[in-house]
Amino acid sequence: DAGVTQSPTHLIKTRGQHVTLRCSPISGHKSVSWYQQVLGQGPQFIFQYYEKEERGRGNFPDRFSARQFPNYSSELNVNALLLGDSALYLCASSFNDQGVETQYFGPGTRLLVL
Amino acid sequence: AQTVTQSQPEMSVQEAETVTLSCTYDTSESDYYLFWYKQPPSRQMILVIRQEAYKQQNATENRFSVNFQKAAKSFSLKISDSQLGDAAMYFCAYRSAYSGAGSYQLTFGKGTKLSVIP
């Protein structure tokens, strides 16, 4: 079975620009989460979507937004990019495994803001 | 808010030996889940093992096992018979078992970089 896929793998943007990152979950998974991982740190939660509805939001500014589509794929959008947005953006899809919702991660998108 | 602490930024182990990675967490909740994830240099985060807080028995997955001490809020990972492919960043993560806002996110520690010496 295919795992979580993300595109693009790498991206270079300049300050003030906008970026869209994409994620396709594992087949059968209805929930998608987004995390930001700054170099040398653990991932920080940004959003979770379930059945196209936002189920959770982390402590990120309104410049960050996301949505989930009917096929459960998801997009993360970041407006007005700042240098500090440079990070690895991870997508995870999840399903209920023996009563425990377990998250499985994609390879990430490396974003560099210049 | 829950916090996860990994006090060992780096660890090393000889191939075929055993190593234990430490994790402590802070929570006021009684029901939750704990996870260990592995992130090799290729960067894909892989689930290693998980533990439900209501279970007293420590989880095991082949060469990986945990020592879950609920009262001490400790959740260490033991890797037996270490292999070169075990070299990676290891992250401990917490998730609430309660429904509602904020309950579905994983809270991660800062990670421990494990090196395996041939």
Side-chain angles (χ1 to χ4, degrees):
Chain A
D1 288 342
V4 178
T5 60
Q6 293 185 244
S7 63
T9 55
H10 296 82
L11 204 52
I12 300 175
K13 292 286 189 178
T14 56
R15 282 177 297 175
Q17 284 190 311
H18 163 270
V19 68
T20 297
L21 309 182
R22 296 177 175 84
C23 171
S24 292
I26 294 171
S27 177
H29 290 197
K30 298 181 179 180
S31 179
V32 170
S33 301
W34 288 95
Y35 292 81
Q36 181 195 66
Q37 187 178 18
V38 174
L39 194 63
Q41 300 292 319
Q44 295 289 318
F45 173 74
I46 310 175
F47 285 110
Q48 188 181 77
Y49 277 77
Y50 177 76
E51 292 276 13
K52 296 176 290 181
E53 297 291 325
E54 181 182 303
R55 194 162 71 169
R57 182 184 183 116
N59 188 24
F60 280 80
D62 291 343
R63 299 184 296 106
F64 288 76
S65 64
R67 56 179 175 168
Q68 187 177 31
F69 299 99
N71 66 354
Y72 304 114
S73 67
S74 177
E75 283 183 355
L76 175 70
N77 295 282
V78 187
N79 293 323
L81 284 167
L82 303 175
L83 296 180
D85 295 331
S86 296
L88 179 67
Y89 288 84
L90 296 168
C91 173
S93 72
S94 53
F95 83 114
N96 194 304
D97 179 13
Q98 299 177 346
V100 181
E101 185 177 298
T102 301
Q103 296 188 17
Y104 297 88
F105 286 82
T109 293
R110 173 73 66 188
L111 172 64
L112 177 61
V113 182
L114 301 176
Chain B
Q2 293 80 24
T3 59
V4 177
T5 303
Q6 294 180 249
S7 59
Q8 307 152 314
E10 295 188 26
M11 293 279 287
S12 62
V13 62
Q14 293 278 350
E15 197 175 1
E17 296 295 308
T18 296
V19 65
T20 299
L21 308 183
S22 301
C23 172
T24 58
Y25 56 94
D26 187 24
T27 183
S28 58
E29 298 175 334
S30 60
D31 201 11
Y32 47 86
Y33 307 108
L34 296 165
F35 304 84
W36 278 99
Y37 282 89
K38 167 186 177 181
Q39 190 176 40
S42 66
R43 80 184 181 216
Q44 178 128 20
M45 193 89 72
I46 302 165
L47 176 66
V48 175
I49 199 165
R50 73 173 190 220
Q51 175 80 41
E52 292 93 310
Y54 64 85
K55 290 186 177 179
Q56 293 187 339
Q57 186 173 8
N58 289 323
T60 62
E61 285 288 344
N62 301 315
R63 298 182 296 107
F64 299 88
S65 62
V66 299
N67 183 3
F68 173 50
Q69 301 289 329
K70 191 172 184 179
K73 296 181 183 176
S74 172
F75 182 60
S76 61
L77 174 69
K78 185 171 83 170
I79 306 174
S80 304
D81 186 26
S82 296
Q83 301 175 359
L84 295 177
D86 294 334
M89 284 291 291
Y90 286 81
F91 292 97
C92 178
Y94 171 102
R95 189 175 78 76
S96 172
Y98 299 98
S99 60
S103 65
Y104 301 103
Q105 65 193 70
L106 290 171
T107 300
F108 285 87
K110 291 187 175 182
T112 296
K113 183 179 180 180
L114 178 67
S115 301
V116 180
I117 304 166

